[in-house]
Amino acid sequence: MSVFIDKSTRLVIQGITGRDGSFHAKQMMEYGTNVVAGVTPGKGGQTFEGAVPVFNTVAEAVHATEANTSVIYVPAAVAASAIFEAADSGIELIICITEGIPVLDMTRALPFVHERGAHLIGPNCPGLISPGQSKVGIIPGNICTPGKIGVVSRSGTLTYEIVHQLSTHGMGQSTCVGIGGDPLIGTNFVHCLSAFEADPETAAIVMIGEIGGTDEQQAAEFVKEKVKKPVVGFIAGQTAPPGRRMGHAGAIISGSSGTAAEKMAALAKAGISVMKRPADVVPLLKERL
Amino acid sequence: MNLHEYQARDILRKHGIPVPPGEVATTPAEARAIAERFGGKVVVKAQVHAGGRGKAGGVKLADGADAAKAAASAILGMTIKGLTVHKVLVVPAAEIVSESYVGIIVDRASQRPVLIVSAAGGIDIEEVAAKTPEQLHRLAVDPRYGLLPHQALALGFALYRDVKQARAAADIMQKLYGVVYAVGASLAEINPLVTTPDGSVQALDAKISIDDNELERRPEIAALRDVSAEAPEEVAAREAGLTFIKLDGDVGCCVNGAGLAMATMDLVKYYGGQPANFLDIGGSSNPQKVVAALRIMTSDPRVKVILFNIFGGITRGDDVANGIVQATHAFPLKVPIVIRLTGTNEKEGIAILERAGFKALTDMDEAVKQAVA
């Protein structure tokens, strides 16, 4: 088992013929993801890599292939539009990899996605992988192994670092979800923690947060009240100065809120084992399992 | 991207918000001429991307043209929080009856633009939020309908008892909401919003921050960037496609990905060192970015060691290695370099580095320990 994606995932790739889209489409197909369609306006009727039909619109792709999940690789200027289109076409789960979407675009896209009953992961995220079953996004498949640890993170390469630690110490993953580094995102820690808690094949959860906002504090409250499984947490940005955006648009300390110290204290108070450094993940999980 | 006060005032004025007159000077003589035109007392204000201008001596009241010239020559060239002042705004000194605050930010919790107003204006709003939160009124605006007239009026009455002033404030709030979406602002604030003895409501000072992701589609806003008002190494980094933030330590850090970059800085501190910077070379691997990163780090005399931490995903280890080798051909590194390289094309990258006489590690903790030793 796993969360959000598995062998039943029927994926449509928005932007399949673009530079990033085509590269990662091949990687996902090699991994075994069930890629059923691609969308690039004007290229409808073509076939990608001799295997995947390309359509002009997501609605056509859904009609012809019963795609239920979409992944977006289109440029930032049109990425919000791609999210609207996916939600309007009956896609249930939308994963937006694109980085650099204006936040004001997301203030309009998020309520639309919600109204249509769809779920969005991202934007500005590495996507997710259920090792051995399905990969949607850009997380390198070779660093993951199947297993019982659920991983949820706001970051990309930091997730790879921690997953790599897990895999090399024989701790496989049920699903790894990158929720994205933007201030406005579709899926937050609480959504993922709730899914991992309900997943019988997930035995423990690793959450990787960072400075900025209060998502981690809300997640800590949720863990305290609703999560029985062991949770291990990390917060990046302990040395970040206030008022400066640390790469991710969401990673900024404003006023006295959103600091790493505040978040680590909230996690610890909720019974989450807090890592001081990425290499602590394995020993802390071993203590709790 | 932050706009200067004078730029923000221009934008508000274009959107119909009442803003008192004011002109920009780059020399004391210009400031004198402007003050002479206005007549009477003026205020000379430093135009710099830093808070606390007043406390730093960057805002001066001047009685007459000669005093304005003297004030401008004191302020121009001064340094506020590391940034040099190149421009001053000269405005007539206003008679003020009351000072309020009106601001709009995009709020991550409600995922909406939030309008914040307070009758306690003219001071740091975060201080008001911390000390007297009951004086703040907040409204999350539904972006599908915008700021509705009755919502704005209710907040207008939170500032003023007089119906005319409440309506004037409501009108300003609706226009300010329009400004946010028109220019792609992540923050737009009027502080203070003042009332004058004749009862009018005016935006005395304004601050607008633009979401960097908006700049590509808004060239007219991007053109407002004042490169002279930014730290030179951060300008160089941006032009090279890097995210760079200067810090106080001596361990130069070069990492792919923002989260891993922060975690690397944290680990430097964990092992007793101090990071000199945040530097994210981003996802796409281009040797030229690595060369630019090394050029920026080596130009800082405080940097005693350079630490690379690369976990290849989209970024390829051989590209990073090639960038490091190319940089050593272009300019001297001057300081020791510690390289951690793993992930995509790790073997190819390490081979390139070893041929050029560098050692490469694959473990993050080992690399950081070596760098701070």
Side-chain angles (χ1 to χ4, degrees):
Chain A
M1 273 282 288
S2 53
V3 305
F4 303 131
I5 58 167
D6 55 28
K7 286 206 176 298
S8 71
T9 295
R10 299 177 60 80
L11 185 70
V12 51
I13 301 174
Q14 294 176 251
I16 193 167
T17 58
R19 188 178 57 104
D20 293 338
S22 58
F23 177 79
H24 290 289
K26 284 179 217 161
Q27 302 259 312
M28 288 187 278
M29 288 158 72
E30 277 168 26
Y31 195 77
T33 304
N34 188 16
V35 179
V36 297
V39 172
T40 299
K43 298 205 173 163
Q46 295 184 8
T47 305
F48 178 79
E49 289 289 298
V52 178
V54 179
F55 299 88
N56 283 321
T57 68
V58 178
E60 285 169 13
V62 170
H63 184 74
T65 68
E66 292 177 17
N68 58 11
T69 302
S70 103
V71 62
I72 295 172
Y73 289 100
V74 305
V78 291
S81 170
I83 295 171
F84 277 103
E85 184 187 357
D88 219 10
S89 307
I91 294 289
E92 293 155 27
L93 179 65
I94 306 162
I95 295 103
C96 186
I97 308 301
T98 305
E99 176 180 358
I101 302 180
V103 173
L104 291 171
D105 287 4
M106 292 310 299
T107 63
R108 288 174 168 151
L110 285 166
F112 188 87
V113 167
H114 186 68
E115 272 178 4
R116 291 298 189 278
H119 294 279
L120 174 69
I121 296 178
N124 187 17
C125 77
L128 63 168
I129 183 167
S130 295
Q133 299 189 61
S134 186
K135 148 180 156 144
V136 178
I138 63 174
I139 297 176
N142 59 353
I143 58 169
C144 304
T145 48
K148 290 180 175 291
I149 311 293
V151 179
V152 54
S153 171
R154 267 169 76 179
S155 150
T157 47
L158 177 57
T159 314
Y160 308 167
E161 177 73 41
I162 287 173
V163 167
H164 176 69
Q165 302 267 355
L166 293 174
S167 291
T168 51
H169 291 85
M171 294 181 144
Q173 307 89 43
S174 54
T175 302
C176 306
V177 191
I179 59 175
D182 274 8
L184 265 54
I185 50 175
T187 298
N188 59 25
F189 281 113
V190 170
H191 297 131
C192 297
L193 288 164
S194 167
F196 281 131
E197 177 70 5
D199 173 32
E201 295 300 318
T202 298
I205 305 163
V206 175
M207 64 172 278
I208 305 159
E210 61 189 32
I211 54 165
T214 55
D215 257 21
E216 289 82 354
Q217 291 90 319
Q218 282 158 16
E221 280 299 306
F222 181 81
V223 167
K224 201 167 149 189
E225 284 167 24
K226 301 272 166 75
V227 179
K228 304 256 184 315
K229 294 175 182 174
V231 183
V232 170
F234 181 74
I235 303 290
Q238 297 166 44
T239 45
R244 302 304 307 267
R245 170 177 152 168
M246 286 287 138
H248 288 156
I252 184 166
I253 302 167
S254 53
S256 58
S257 77
T259 64
E262 180 189 357
K263 292 185 183 219
M264 289 165 84
L267 263 51
K269 206 175 148 206
I272 297 170
S273 304
V274 183
M275 301 176 229
K276 288 199 175 71
R277 53 187 182 133
D280 291 340
V281 67
V282 169
L284 285 179
L285 274 172
K286 281 190 174 153
E287 266 175 34
R288 300 285 301 269
L289 281 167
Chain B
M1 179 180 90
N2 290 321
L3 298 185
H4 284 303
E5 176 192 4
Y6 77 89
Q7 295 169 327
R9 283 164 50 109
D10 284 348
I11 288 171
L12 298 193
R13 200 180 281 124
K14 274 182 203 143
H15 285 80
I17 295 173
V19 178
E23 286 179 44
V24 176
T26 54
T27 65
E30 278 174 27
R32 189 188 188 286
I34 295 165
E36 199 152 40
R37 272 203 298 283
F38 286 141
K41 288 182 186 169
V42 296
V43 182
V44 183
K45 306 170 88 176
Q47 299 297 289
V48 63
H49 297 317
R53 288 179 302 175
K55 279 179 200 158
V59 179
K60 291 185 194 295
L61 180 67
D63 193 354
D66 288 331
K69 186 183 170 191
S73 63
I75 295 171
L76 286 165
M78 80 188 300
T79 306
I80 300 176
K81 292 186 182 164
L83 297 168
T84 308
V85 181
H86 297 289
K87 290 174 185 167
V88 291
L89 176 68
V90 183
V91 296
E95 269 194 78
I96 293 166
V97 176
S98 73
E99 295 186 300
S100 304
Y101 173 93
V102 174
I104 298 172
I105 54 154
V106 180
D107 173 49
R108 44 205 299 165
S110 64
Q111 303 192 321
R112 291 176 172 191
V114 169
L115 183 64
I116 301 168
V117 309
S118 174
I123 52 169
D124 183 3
I125 198 65
E126 290 196 337
E127 208 174 299
V128 178
K131 287 181 185 158
T132 50
E134 70 282 357
Q135 288 190 300
L136 282 191
H137 304 270
R138 296 164 56 94
L139 175 77
V141 181
D142 187 329
R144 290 168 294 187
Y145 312 114
L147 179 61
L148 298 168
H150 74 278
Q151 296 173 324
L153 186 60
L155 289 169
F157 278 118
L159 299 181
Y160 308 116
R161 285 202 194 111
D162 178 77
V163 66
K164 271 192 196 153
Q165 288 181 336
R167 283 194 196 285
D171 184 55
I172 289 169
M173 289 174 206
Q174 285 191 286
K175 284 173 174 159
L176 189 65
Y177 183 83
V179 166
V180 167
Y181 279 90
V183 304
S186 51
L187 166 107
E189 64 179 23
I190 300 170
N191 189 22
L193 180 75
V194 300
T195 55
T196 57
D198 65 5
S200 72
V201 181
Q202 298 186 350
L204 200 63
D205 194 345
K207 183 177 173 188
I208 294 177
S209 300
I210 307 292
D211 177 355
D212 288 345
N213 295 338
E214 296 271 2
L215 296 174
E216 201 182 319
R217 65 181 178 191
R218 300 182 196 279
E220 76 289 358
I221 300 293
L224 297 176
R225 186 187 287 282
D226 178 3
V227 175
S228 73
E230 298 176 354
E233 61 270 28
E234 291 180 15
V235 175
R238 190 179 57 243
E239 282 166 2
L242 308 166
T243 313
F244 176 88
I245 292 165
K246 187 151 175 44
L247 303 167
D248 294 329
D250 55 14
V251 180
C253 302
C254 183
V255 188
N256 65 320
L260 189 61
M262 284 190 277
T264 305
M265 289 157 51
D266 295 350
L267 203 60
V268 165
K269 192 155 189 194
Y270 178 87
Y271 284 115
Q274 289 291 341
N277 62 272
F278 168 95
L279 199 162
D280 173 11
I281 59 168
S284 78
S285 48
N286 175 348
Q288 282 314 309
K289 278 192 177 184
V290 177
V291 175
L294 274 165
R295 196 182 290 278
I296 291 163
M297 284 189 289
T298 51
S299 66
D300 180 352
R302 280 191 298 182
V303 170
K304 297 283 183 285
V305 58
I306 290 171
L307 168 68
F308 270 78
N309 185 14
I310 305 296
F311 201 120
I314 298 182
T315 305
R316 283 165 35 190
D318 52 335
D319 279 341
V320 174
N322 277 322
I324 294 171
V325 174
Q326 281 174 28
T328 58
H329 294 321
F331 51 89
L333 289 183
K334 292 184 279 193
V335 294
I337 178 166
V338 179
I339 304 162
R340 185 272 180 131
L341 190 69
T342 193
T344 309
N345 291 5
E346 167 186 325
K347 277 187 196 133
E348 292 86 338
I350 289 178
I352 291 164
L353 289 169
E354 285 178 346
R355 275 201 301 276
F358 290 103
K359 279 189 196 151
L361 303 162
T362 54
D363 183 79
M364 174 166 166
D365 280 64
E366 283 307 314
V368 173
K369 271 193 240 173
Q370 264 195 29
V372 302

